[in-house]
Amino acid sequence: MDLEKPARPPAAAPAGEGCLVVAIRVPVRIVVLVLVVPVRMVWDALVVAGRFLNDTLLRPLGRALLWVGRAVFVWPLVGLWRYVLVPFGKGLAWLGKVLVVLPAVAFHRHVLTPFGHGVVWLYARVLTSLGHVLAAIGAGVWAGAVWLGRCLVVVPSAWLYRWVLAPAGRAVAWCAQGLVRLVATVVTGIGTGLYWITRILLVLPALAVWRRVLVPVGRVLAVVAREFGDALGHAWRVAGYISLAVGRFLAAVFRWVFVEPVRWVYRNVLTPVGYVVRDAVLRPLGGAARAVGRAGRQALDAARASVRRTRADLRRALFGEPAGAGGKPQLTHRREPIGPETRTLGGSKTALTKD
């Protein structure tokens, strides 16, 4: 079994620990070891099963699903994009250029540009002069309005602020300052009283409980938690060794109970039997099959020759003997010339080059 190797054992505990730590450590490690060993063995078994499933099922299934996804989704979408949407987009772009861009350019060039030039001329020749006149009139009106505002609003407002609002504001501020001091004195006294009441009734008892009860209990719980964590790590590593030993034992048992007998049967029984079957049965059957094949081919060749002879006899019966045959048919190859026009090996002319 392919199990994960446990990590290296931790370093030895520092010297000078108290008897309470030692008394807590041993039972905690024993209990945690008993609880962790089954969990570690189940974990290792799940890891091995997961790797086996991943190698034999999930990875091929994922590749098949990936190929199916490409075949069902990606390739049709690529084909749709390449052969439908892109040509359609190019057509829409051409239509937009013909129906929108070119008319807009012509409208801008032949309508808006002359209109803009006319507007610029109107602004430079008419509106600028009119604007200067209106600016002068507006400046005079603004100067008069400023003088009237100063006389009717600013001067009375300044006099009212200096002789009425400022003294009234100072009086109100002095009264508010005195009231704030009175309220601050009252609130300070009440806060001081509440502080001492809270300190005597809550803070000092809580501080005593913290110092005398919670801190010692927290230290004990911290020691227990630390020892439990160390025991858990130690137990996990020990359980790893135990799980590795059990896995090797089960692998050895599986090997000697199943694999080695199957290998011995294959090597000492099935292989000799296979050789005997091959030499005594398969090879004779193969030779017989080849002999039957040769006999069939010979019979087929004889049938073809008989058909050719029958066809030649039928041709002679219908059309007579060929000229120059002398009543005796001569079976020659179709590509070989007949009579004196046969090919000569030693001559310089053949039937194809002879005049």
Side-chain angles (χ1 to χ4, degrees):
M1 297 175 65
D2 188 9
L3 299 178
E4 181 183 359
K5 293 185 179 180
R8 297 178 60 184
E17 296 180 346
C19 59
L20 179 61
V21 176
V22 178
I24 292 174
R25 179 180 300 166
V26 176
V28 167
R29 287 194 175 185
I30 293 174
V31 173
V32 171
L33 179 62
V34 173
L35 296 177
V36 168
V37 168
V39 177
R40 181 59 186 267
M41 295 182 67
V42 172
W43 173 260
D44 292 338
L46 291 177
V47 169
V48 174
R51 290 178 180 176
F52 177 75
L53 288 177
N54 183 45
D55 295 336
T56 58
L57 178 62
L58 297 180
R59 188 176 298 171
L61 181 61
R63 292 176 180 174
L65 291 178
L66 180 61
W67 185 87
V68 170
R70 288 179 179 176
V72 174
F73 296 103
V74 178
W75 295 338
L77 292 178
V78 170
L80 179 65
W81 170 262
R82 183 176 297 172
Y83 300 107
V84 177
L85 295 180
V86 172
F88 183 72
K90 291 181 179 179
L92 287 180
W94 182 81
L95 288 177
K97 182 178 180 180
V98 173
L99 298 178
V100 178
V101 177
L102 295 179
V105 170
F107 181 75
H108 178 269
R109 182 177 297 171
H110 300 289
V111 177
L112 294 180
T113 300
F115 180 76
H117 291 314
V119 171
V120 169
W121 180 86
L122 179 64
Y123 174 78
R125 297 292 186 271
V126 179
L127 295 180
T128 302
S129 302
L130 183 62
H132 288 308
V133 174
L134 293 177
I137 296 172
V141 173
W142 175 255
V146 168
W147 183 80
L148 289 176
R150 180 179 178 83
C151 293
L152 298 177
V153 178
V154 176
V155 174
S157 298
W159 182 87
L160 179 64
Y161 175 78
R162 181 178 299 175
W163 299 106
V164 178
L165 296 179
R170 293 190 186 97
V172 171
W174 182 81
C175 293
Q177 186 176 4
L179 182 61
V180 168
R181 288 179 180 177
L182 179 61
V183 172
T185 304
V186 174
V187 171
T188 302
I190 295 174
T192 304
L194 292 176
Y195 168 74
W196 284 105
I197 291 172
T198 305
R199 181 178 177 84
I200 293 172
L201 296 180
L202 296 177
V203 176
L204 294 178
L207 185 60
V209 171
W210 171 262
R211 289 179 179 177
R212 305 299 179 184
V213 179
L214 296 180
V215 172
V217 173
R219 290 176 180 174
V220 173
L221 292 178
V223 172
V224 173
R226 185 186 65 189
E227 292 299 327
F228 182 78
D230 295 339
L232 184 62
H234 180 73
W236 185 261
R237 288 187 292 271
V238 173
Y241 286 108
I242 295 175
S243 177
L244 181 61
V246 172
R248 290 178 178 176
F249 174 74
L250 292 177
V253 170
F254 179 77
R255 177 182 178 184
W256 291 107
V257 171
F258 182 76
V259 176
E260 291 298 333
V262 171
R263 182 183 297 175
W264 183 86
V265 169
Y266 175 78
R267 183 181 298 172
N268 298 321
V269 178
L270 297 180
T271 301
V273 170
Y275 290 157
V276 171
V277 170
R278 183 191 63 186
D279 296 335
V281 178
L282 297 180
R283 286 183 178 176
L285 288 178
R290 287 190 294 272
V292 169
R294 286 194 297 270
R297 286 193 297 272
Q298 293 176 359
L300 184 60
D301 293 337
R304 289 176 180 174
S306 177
V307 169
R308 285 196 295 269
R309 287 194 298 270
T310 303
R311 187 172 55 190
D313 294 339
L314 183 61
R315 186 182 298 111
R316 283 195 303 273
L318 293 176
F319 301 103
E321 292 291 339
K328 185 177 181 181
Q330 296 180 358
L331 296 178
T332 58
H333 198 274
R334 293 180 181 178
R335 297 181 180 178
E336 292 293 336
I338 302 173
E341 296 182 354
T342 57
R343 296 179 181 177
T344 57
L345 297 178
S348 61
K349 295 182 180 180
T350 60
L352 296 178
T353 60
K354 186 175 180 181
D355 294 334

